[in-house]
Amino acid sequence: MTDSPTTVRPDRRAELAAGLARVRARIADACAAAGRDRGEVTLVAVTKTYPAADVVALAGLGVTDVGENRDQEAAPKAAEAAAAGATPRWHFIGQLQRNKARSVVRYADVVQSVDSVRLAAALDGAAAAARDRPLDVLVQVSVDGDPARGGALPDAADPDRGLGAVAAAVAGADGLRLAGLMAVAPLGWEPDRAFARLAEVVARFRVDHPEATVLSAGMSGDLEIAIEYGATHVRVGSALLGMRSTLR
Ligand SMILES: *Cc1c(COP(=O)(O)O)cnc(C)c1O
């Protein structure tokens, strides 16, 4: 018998099961510590650099949501996983070029990294042409307000990168549904300070968009603190699948 490329070896499956048990326990403990219901937090397994076989195995272990940050890697991986019967919700979490919008809207259920009005418009056009229902979108927020890095700017009136402008563009697009916000703690910031600041941004944002209740925050190293500050989705890669050999 030859191994199918979407079947993992038993030792890899056991490794993934153990990682998943550890991460689920961390999420449950963090919810308990924060006085939150465990059902309020969804695990997004970040499978970048890992093969479709791992996605298939994780789906078999009950993982419902998967995250990827590069279109050229995610598009074939989603197709391979689907051919093997695994159809988790695919979250696109990386920096996205507008010319990749048409590809991403075909397999992604959620794009978490929309940080400009121009990108929102590109996704709207692509989604309207290729999908029969709106694409869920999270606006990525810059916690430190540094315009040189990714994220909409919470305190700026910038017509392309300001958080208010981006959120309004997504909310007003027929092809998109504004589901909430996403953030990454800035390098060099204590997670406590980053997620406390994020919680302030979220509170102001929800005055204008009360229906947009998703908050995607927290990764392998800081998911407990993100849950304390209200995360509804945590994006976990290395703690679940192992350390990546590359820095992404
Ligand atoms: C890679 C990545 C993650 C997962 O990071 P880990 O530290 O491996 O858990 C989460 N969010 C984004 C945007 C990523 O690119």
Side-chain angles (χ1 to χ4, degrees):
M1 196 186 97
T2 54
D3 283 349
S4 141
T6 43
T7 306
V8 291
R9 292 163 38 150
D11 54 343
R12 178 58 173 160
R13 189 183 155 85
E15 202 169 82
L16 291 170
L20 184 58
R22 281 193 305 270
V23 169
R24 282 177 170 160
R26 284 178 61 187
I27 294 171
D29 288 351
C31 286
R36 298 182 60 194
D37 192 305
R38 171 65 185 86
E40 291 175 31
V41 179
T42 300
L43 168 64
V44 179
V46 178
T47 50
K48 62 189 180 193
T49 78
Y50 288 99
D54 282 358
V55 174
V56 176
L58 287 169
L61 293 164
V63 167
T64 56
D65 292 74
V66 166
E68 287 283 334
N69 71 338
R70 298 204 332 183
D71 175 63
Q72 58 269 47
E73 177 181 347
K77 198 183 291 185
E80 236 188 288
T87 53
R89 281 168 63 77
W90 290 86
H91 297 248
F92 192 86
I93 62 173
Q95 231 180 44
L96 180 57
Q97 308 294 327
R98 277 176 290 151
N99 62 10
K100 295 286 170 45
R102 281 200 304 163
S103 172
V104 167
V105 300
R106 288 197 204 104
Y107 60 85
D109 299 286
V110 187
V111 175
Q112 297 204 357
S113 43
V114 175
D115 64 356
S116 74
V117 170
R118 291 195 303 168
L119 176 58
L123 282 169
D124 180 35
R131 301 171 58 94
D132 51 18
R133 59 195 171 82
L135 175 71
D136 277 0
V137 162
L138 306 185
V139 177
Q140 182 177 351
V141 174
S142 165
V143 170
D144 60 4
D146 179 355
R149 284 195 293 232
L153 306 170
D155 299 316
D158 186 302
D160 189 49
R161 294 281 305 280
L163 172 58
V166 180
V170 173
D174 288 340
L176 310 178
R177 187 181 78 89
L178 178 64
L181 299 179
M182 180 272 243
V184 180
L187 278 175
W189 281 47
E190 287 295 325
D192 250 305
R193 174 171 171 236
F195 294 134
R197 161 94 182 109
L198 176 62
E200 293 169 16
V201 173
V202 169
R204 272 186 284 137
F205 165 82
R206 289 216 181 120
V207 173
D208 292 331
H209 303 284
E211 73 295 342
T213 53
V214 171
L215 176 59
S216 173
M219 321 200 311
S220 290
D222 56 17
L223 69 89
E224 285 85 358
I225 301 167
I227 288 172
E228 183 185 333
Y229 284 100
T232 64
H233 288 63
V234 292
R235 308 177 306 270
V236 182
S238 50
L240 183 54
L241 290 111
M243 292 303 286
R244 294 175 297 274
S245 49
T246 53
L247 273 179
R248 61 178 189 90

